[in-house]
Amino acid sequence: MIVSLIVSLVTAKEVMELAHLSRLSLSPAEATRMCGQFAHILGYIEMLRAVDVRTTEEYLSQRQPDSSLREDQVGPMYTSQCALSAVPQRRDGMVEVPKFKED
Amino acid sequence: MNTSRWETVIGLEVHCQLKTKSKLFSACGFVFGAEPNTQTDPYTWAHPGTLPVPNREAVRFAIRLALATSSDIQQRSRFARKHYFYPDLPKGYQITQSDHPYCLGGHVVIPPGVRRPAKTVRLVRIHIEEDAGKNTHLAGKDISLVDYNRAGVPLLEIVSEPDIRSAQEASAYMRELRAIVRYLAISHANMEEGTLRCDANVSLRVRGTQAYGTRCEIKNLNSFKFLEAAINAEVRRQTALLDDGGSVVQCTMSYDTMKDCTRVMRTKEEAADYRYFPDPDLPPLNIDNAWIADERSRLPELPAARRKRYAAMGLRDYDVDVLVGDPALATFFDRTIALGGDAKKVCNWITVELLARLKADRKRIERSPVSPARMHELVALVESGTISGRVAKELFDKIYREDLTPSEVMARDGYQQMSDPNLLEELVTKVLANHPGQVEQYRRGKTKIRGFFVGQVMKRSEGQANPGMVNQLLDALLPKPEN
Amino acid sequence: METSQIVALTARELAVRVRDGSITARRAADAYLSRVDAVQRAFGPFAHATPDRCRAQADAIDQARARGETLGPLAGVPVGLKNIFVTQGVPTTCGSKILSGWTPQYEGAQAACLRQAGAVLVGKLAMDEFAMGSSNENTPFEPVRNPWARDHVPGGSSGGSAVVVSARAAALSLGSDTGGSIRQPASLCGLVGLKPTYGRVSRFGMIAFASSLDQAGPFARDTRDAALALSVLAGHDPRDATSLNAPVPDYLGACETPIKGLRVGYDPDGLNHEGLDPEVRRAFEVSLRVLRERGAEIVEVALPHAHLGVATYYVLCAAEAASNLARYDGVRYGRRQPQPSLDGMYAATREAGFGEEVKRRILLGTYVLRASSYEEYYGRAMKVRTLIASDYRAAFECCDLLVTPTSPFPSFRIGEKVSDPLAMYLSDIYTVGANLAGLPAISIPGGFSQAATDRPRLPIGFQLLGPRLAEPRLFAAAAAHEADTSWHLERPPGIKA
Ligand SMILES: [Mg+2]
Ligand SMILES: [Zn+2]
């Protein structure tokens, strides 16, 4: 197993950024723990950097020749009652969420 | 604006909703204006375990637009996931195309307008993607509501090069794009309904230089009026900044329609990292040459070609614009002139009389009670001199209201043509005798007055005199004008 | 017939008897259902038992038979489904708190296939949360126990699916395999577990973990039951764009094909792994001998990039998982943690709803997909994946099948590896290759470790891999191996049937 010495270090601050990007709220203790595990896992993943992939294409599953396209037909749909029954918070036939700023 | 040392540089990102029966990736129907959350299925809600399967018709529509804009269709393209958390985005990512869109390049030619020559706007690319749901923010309450009906409806995103130089040019480009997609019958392309939407990238540079300035993107411009107003507002903002020796900071703007100004929504630093990657649920999209050739052979005449054809018929620019602006109207016109007749006269009847009536009745041309055949018959009756213009208008009114041909109305309502040469001669002689002054004017060369005599004859005959014969009689009975 | 006799039958024997009327579907269902409580108390494999539905489905089959209708190939066979499979009207949590309270309003392809074949549903089965794990310990619920040793893990992530078949609480079960999640628990519980060719079984209705790697497949007591199950599950599904449109061959018939002359390859380098348990290695050599004595030709092959499999796998599965799990935001279904702000609600919901391993992979996946690290991580892993897949293609020029141990070690004690995620990831060294290359692979019983003071006697698995769509060849070799061994006939201690 070839492990390069240039191990990417991910700081606690970066972990918190990743947590925000993925909408996870980590406690500082969790972030620190994740940091350590990240170093460990990324250290292991470093072995990929030793591989020469300059002439290699990204993987693509082999597939049947015909495009997997669907004809433009309407199939079974939900009634709004059925669809909304799963929604944790609803109002006026719509899904309720805390107010947010549109952007 | 031309006096400013700054040149405006604009690129547009246009989203056009496709009018397929089902959504882009699921067999879920979509009807505009339906009750909230009634146009959904498990995929629309991103229920666990659901998967996307692309709609062939959406791809076909995409191919049509690529052909119409001479964009280079890629035999193999990919769908990618674009990630961001937002309540109207059910999966937490949008399926779109990023590195490998289905077509690259192409252009849209904007027709000439008032004090604006024709212009070619190059396209960067067009790609296929799914639409998001709709958020409603309740005033005075701390909640927002989401309707997923629109989520998953197919969109084409058309990205232009920064070739546009003014707000007017931007809206002309949008109008031409709208005409094209309507001709292709792939979209309703209605800005008010949101089936055609636009973001504008605006920057300034010193006139005469090449390098682009820092751009700002104005989001969600949902009418032609606001598109122009927002660009002008942004140009004012950036001009003021630069004139003051400041610099433009790259950011995303929104346009405040009340205050007629643009404001910053987020800066580049806050820009999201969308974490694009090829969607593993979707194999590459293959569009082979046979499919492209087949679609090419089914392409309708496009606005530019039609515009050229109408201009060659001698129609006025204004009329050309009116006809070309509505493919259904142009088709109506084409069907009418296919039966014969003078293009300019036919055009006049359609764009003046028919359109006015339809507009008053809030009817679209597709639902016109007067068919091209009846329109043709009416114009032909006038042209042959069988009826006068005044009678024709009466007849038009009747065939518009009733399901009858012009000749059926004439037979029923006793529109007798006064074609008896003796009677007509008597009438013309009387008119000339009663207006010696005008006859004298005519003799002296004021030949325009001839219409006056025709009018008088028509008046006396209550519109029933055969106009052709009246003209012949006037030729014979009027004195020869001096040159 | 006694309950113990009924549950001792293979799925295909039971289906034959239900069809010929010698056992009613209801009697078969009751026999299995009578074991559910005890098995649940002892090993905890059920997330949600469905006795009422099971009896109703069984009654419907008996009625159909009474009307003279032709019954399906799995008529009256009690099956369990990993809780990753969407079942209309039956709660489906994918082992996560974040989906608690979600009852699907649509039916997944896998549940529908089994039902149409006449199978009856015993229950939804416990799993590692979102199928991330190799021990069934990544769960907000009780860990599942191995019927061969209660203080040991059953493997994962389809642990519950392995346990119900092993402990005779179902005749067959369905699991999902993203990096070994069917084969590894099958190996740790002494069962046959099959991961079909990518695209062979529809993914519609299987909750996504890593879409380019996920594949559903059966757990069975022997090869022919697995073949029967695959014949019901395989086929094109237009609702899954990655589903293969290839004919479904006669898998049961394939089990009868002799393997004389079959070239069976193995990579000697793969056996030099430091983590490979000596007993697993010994068992592997025994299995090789079994195949050789059946007439197979054993050849050495090289898989030069195989050692990169786990690293490649973890980059890719984390990336896809981070993406696939973005939909669990508390807005449309499942659990919501109310908060005054939208972002607060998202974060609180996902923080409370996801377990530690899931969060770890989401963070890792987000990391490798960020614009700044995409090329170095995700892009690079996708290229290495190409190299790994071409290794297999080259190897299959020289052999018809490849064999490896399934797991480098037999089952381990609950809690033994939880503190070291990387050590746990290494459970998958022999299994991830098939997922990365989209190949079919089967794990079959391949012996037992010897009882020692620090470890009880535990099952060991033997893995066979084939080229795409070579499931018939896998079944032929597995059946040949089975014919000359009796490991698959052994029952966990205390399981009488
Ligand atoms: Mg855009
Ligand atoms: Zn877009």
Side-chain angles (χ1 to χ4, degrees), chain B residues 233-368:
Chain B
E234 178 62 13
V235 169
R236 283 198 303 274
R237 186 187 74 92
Q238 290 188 19
T239 304
L241 259 174
L242 295 175
D243 281 346
D244 275 4
S247 58
V248 174
V249 179
Q250 189 175 338
C251 55
T252 307
M253 316 287 295
S254 64
Y255 174 65
D256 184 331
T257 54
M258 303 299 284
K259 301 209 170 100
D260 187 26
C261 69
T262 53
R263 63 179 82 235
V264 176
M265 276 160 69
R266 63 187 122 79
T267 59
K268 198 190 174 195
E269 285 68 47
E270 303 166 60
D273 184 332
Y274 292 120
R275 289 153 284 144
Y276 285 100
F277 79 110
D279 193 324
D281 285 330
L282 293 161
L285 174 63
N286 295 323
I287 301 174
D288 61 24
N289 286 330
W291 194 5
I292 297 171
D294 186 47
E295 289 310 327
R296 196 189 298 278
S297 73
R298 291 161 198 266
L299 229 45
E301 182 183 39
L302 291 166
R306 192 165 258 174
R307 199 172 278 117
K308 221 180 212 170
R309 185 161 60 81
Y310 290 168
M313 287 176 184
L315 303 190
R316 291 180 303 150
D317 284 353
Y318 175 81
D319 289 333
V320 172
D321 281 346
V322 171
L323 288 178
V324 173
D326 181 351
L329 184 67
T331 302
F332 187 98
F333 170 74
D334 283 345
R335 288 208 190 123
T336 310
I337 55 163
L339 302 169
D342 178 68
K344 282 185 267 187
K345 291 198 173 114
V346 169
C347 171
N348 221 38
W349 272 95
I350 292 175
T351 56
V352 180
E353 300 299 327
L354 181 58
L355 271 194
R357 285 301 297 262
L358 290 171
K359 199 170 178 188
D361 290 354
R362 297 175 161 278
K363 272 194 179 134
R364 294 181 48 81
I365 184 74
E366 291 93 325
R367 322 207 117 228
S368 164

Side-chain angles (χ1 to χ4, degrees), chain C residues 423-447:
Chain C
M424 193 77 92
Y425 295 175
L426 292 174
S427 303
D428 300 333
I429 49 170
Y430 295 119
T431 47
V432 292
N435 302 84
L436 289 169
L439 307 176
I442 193 169
S443 177
I444 60 176

Side-chain angles (χ1 to χ4, degrees), chain B residues 13 15 82 127 157 199 217 219:
Chain B
E13 287 176 23
H15 284 91
K82 176 184 182 181
H127 66 253
E157 180 173 334
D199 304 332
E217 184 178 23
K219 287 276 184 195

Side-chain angles (χ1 to χ4, degrees), chain A residues 60 70 72 75 93 95 99 102, chain B residues 22-23 27 37 54 56 137-138:
Chain A
L60 203 58
R70 179 175 59 79
D72 185 23
V95 177
K99 191 165 208 154
E102 194 86 40
Chain B
S22 65
K23 294 187 179 180
N37 294 309
R56 179 183 301 278
H137 306 286
L138 294 189

Side-chain angles (χ1 to χ4, degrees), chain C residues 201-259:
Chain C
V201 177
S202 172
R203 291 187 298 116
F204 175 77
M206 178 168 73
I207 298 178
F209 159 20
S211 313
S212 75
L213 302 157
D214 296 343
Q215 184 61 199
F219 284 86
R221 288 177 216 165
D222 66 16
T223 300
R224 286 175 179 78
D225 270 6
L228 174 64
L230 184 63
S231 59
V232 161
L233 295 164
H236 181 238
D237 184 351
R239 297 167 297 182
D240 171 2
T242 62
S243 162
L244 291 173
N245 197 352
V248 178
D250 175 9
Y251 294 125
L252 265 177
C255 296
E256 313 307 327
T257 313
I259 61 159

Side-chain angles (χ1 to χ4, degrees), chain C residues 10 14 58 140 142 152 166 190 207 209 231 248 257 327 331 352 374 400 438 454 493:
Chain C
T10 62
L14 180 58
E142 284 296 294
H152 278 57
S166 173
I207 298 178
F209 159 20
S231 59
V248 178
T257 313
R327 67 186 60 195
V331 172
Y374 182 93
D400 304 307
D454 60 339

Side-chain angles (χ1 to χ4, degrees), chain C residues 114-407:
Chain C
L114 290 173
R115 183 165 35 76
Q116 277 150 22
V120 298
L121 184 67
V122 181
K124 301 296 292 294
L125 306 169
M127 56 185 286
D128 281 303
E129 185 177 5
F130 283 106
M132 297 174 194
S134 304
S135 68
N136 243 275
E137 294 166 291
N138 295 331
T139 172
F141 313 110
E142 284 296 294
V144 181
R145 293 163 183 280
N146 192 320
W148 293 89
R150 273 196 82 236
D151 59 345
H152 278 57
V153 302
S157 65
S158 313
S161 303
V163 170
V164 287
V165 177
S166 173
R168 309 300 193 248
L172 281 176
S173 70
L174 216 56
S176 67
D177 190 316
T178 304
S181 283
I182 292 172
R183 292 160 287 157
Q184 186 256 14
S187 149
L188 269 49
C189 292
L191 298 171
V192 173
L194 172 74
K195 183 206 92 75
T197 305
Y198 183 76
R200 179 78 284 195
V201 177
S202 172
R203 291 187 298 116
F204 175 77
M206 178 168 73
I207 298 178
F209 159 20
S211 313
S212 75
L213 302 157
D214 296 343
Q215 184 61 199
F219 284 86
R221 288 177 216 165
D222 66 16
T223 300
R224 286 175 179 78
D225 270 6
L228 174 64
L230 184 63
S231 59
V232 161
L233 295 164
H236 181 238
D237 184 351
R239 297 167 297 182
D240 171 2
T242 62
S243 162
L244 291 173
N245 197 352
V248 178
D250 175 9
Y251 294 125
L252 265 177
C255 296
E256 313 307 327
T257 313
I259 61 159
K260 194 164 161 37
L262 194 75
R263 295 169 305 162
V264 173
Y266 79 100
D267 174 17
D269 275 354
L271 299 175
N272 291 332
H273 191 266
E274 55 189 81
L276 178 60
D277 188 295
E279 298 229 38
V280 173
R281 185 178 182 137
R282 195 155 43 241
F284 175 74
E285 279 155 6
V286 171
S287 286
L288 270 189
R289 199 160 59 236
V290 170
L291 292 178
R292 188 184 294 120
E293 281 164 10
R294 271 269 161 171
E297 183 194 331
I298 309 298
V299 298
E300 291 191 1
V301 297
L303 297 168
H305 299 93
H307 66 284
L308 301 166
V310 172
T312 305
Y313 170 78
Y314 274 89
V315 170
L316 299 180
C317 81
E320 293 187 25
S323 172
N324 283 326
L325 271 55
R327 67 186 60 195
Y328 306 107
D329 57 6
V331 172
R332 291 163 309 282
Y333 44 80
R335 176 177 173 150
R336 177 187 293 195
Q337 206 69 36
Q339 286 285 316
S341 78
L342 179 69
D343 272 349
M345 189 273 277
Y346 281 147
T349 298
R350 290 164 65 82
E351 177 61 17
F354 290 139
E356 174 130 350
E357 179 63 24
V358 173
K359 287 186 230 171
R360 189 155 43 231
R361 296 211 202 178
I362 290 175
L363 292 172
L364 180 64
T366 304
Y367 178 77
V368 302
L369 283 179
R370 274 197 321 192
S372 52
S373 37
Y374 182 93
E375 272 310 314
E376 263 320 283
Y377 289 98
Y378 184 83
R380 177 169 280 270
M382 280 297 265
K383 289 173 181 172
V384 176
R385 186 177 184 180
T386 302
L387 297 174
I388 292 171
S390 43
D391 278 0
Y392 284 108
R393 240 192 325 279
F396 287 126
E397 303 277 308
C398 315
C399 65
D400 304 307
L401 284 181
L402 278 168
V403 290
T404 71
T406 306
S407 163

